[in-house]
Amino acid sequence: MSLIPPWLRPPRVRERLASYHLRSDVLDAAAVMVSDQRSDICVVRLEAALTDSETVLRMMDGRHVRVMGLLVLTSERILFRSRRRTGPNFSVPLEVVRAIEYKRRGTGTVRVITPYGSLTVDQILGRQGEMLADDARATMWGEPLPERDPLR
């Protein structure tokens, strides 16, 4: 039970996104993401970029080529969707990913290495980048995903 009255408590992610009727995997990933309501529109737009066969495993806010957006790990690929409609976006199938590196200095940085080059997403809060890298490796190798808190 909370000491804060319900009318003073800010709405939770599931409550904010309930009116959009999103897929359950998108809603589950958004609920554990460290973010605020500025990311809600990106989460809603993400559903149009997904296929029916893929499942969203993890998502987070980050910056790619100096543009903020949403970095998403699905069961089939890693994708970045800019907050801007015309910003830099990418989609990389997990089969072509050679390595995923994670580095943390203040905020986290994830580097996705493919045969065609590397893609870097930085300004990731907490341990979300590390968790995405670990989850992507587990997905590529067919291992179970670990359960962790993105802030610890």
Side-chain angles (χ1 to χ4, degrees), residues 122-146:
D122 59 4
Q123 291 192 356
I124 299 171
L125 296 176
R127 297 184 60 202
Q128 295 181 104
E130 177 185 1
M131 294 168 68
L132 180 126
D134 291 344
D135 290 354
R137 287 185 205 109
T139 302
M140 291 186 311
W141 297 332
E143 298 174 356
L145 300 177

Side-chain angles (χ1 to χ4, degrees), residues 2-65:
S2 175
L3 297 176
I4 300 173
W7 61 88
L8 288 178
R9 181 184 53 80
R12 293 186 173 95
V13 175
R14 290 184 188 279
E15 295 166 354
R16 289 194 321 253
L17 296 174
S19 63
Y20 294 105
H21 307 290
L22 299 173
R23 292 174 18 175
S24 63
D25 60 328
V26 174
L27 198 54
D28 291 342
V32 297
M33 177 173 72
V34 179
S35 70
D36 58 16
Q37 54 270 44
R38 292 176 291 181
S39 301
D40 289 356
I41 192 65
C42 295
V43 173
V44 172
R45 287 184 193 149
L46 171 68
E47 192 161 359
L50 299 172
T51 64
D52 292 337
S53 64
E54 65 187 334
T55 304
V56 175
L57 304 174
R58 188 160 305 279
M59 70 173 73
M60 65 205 59
D61 286 325
R63 183 181 72 167
H64 174 62
V65 193

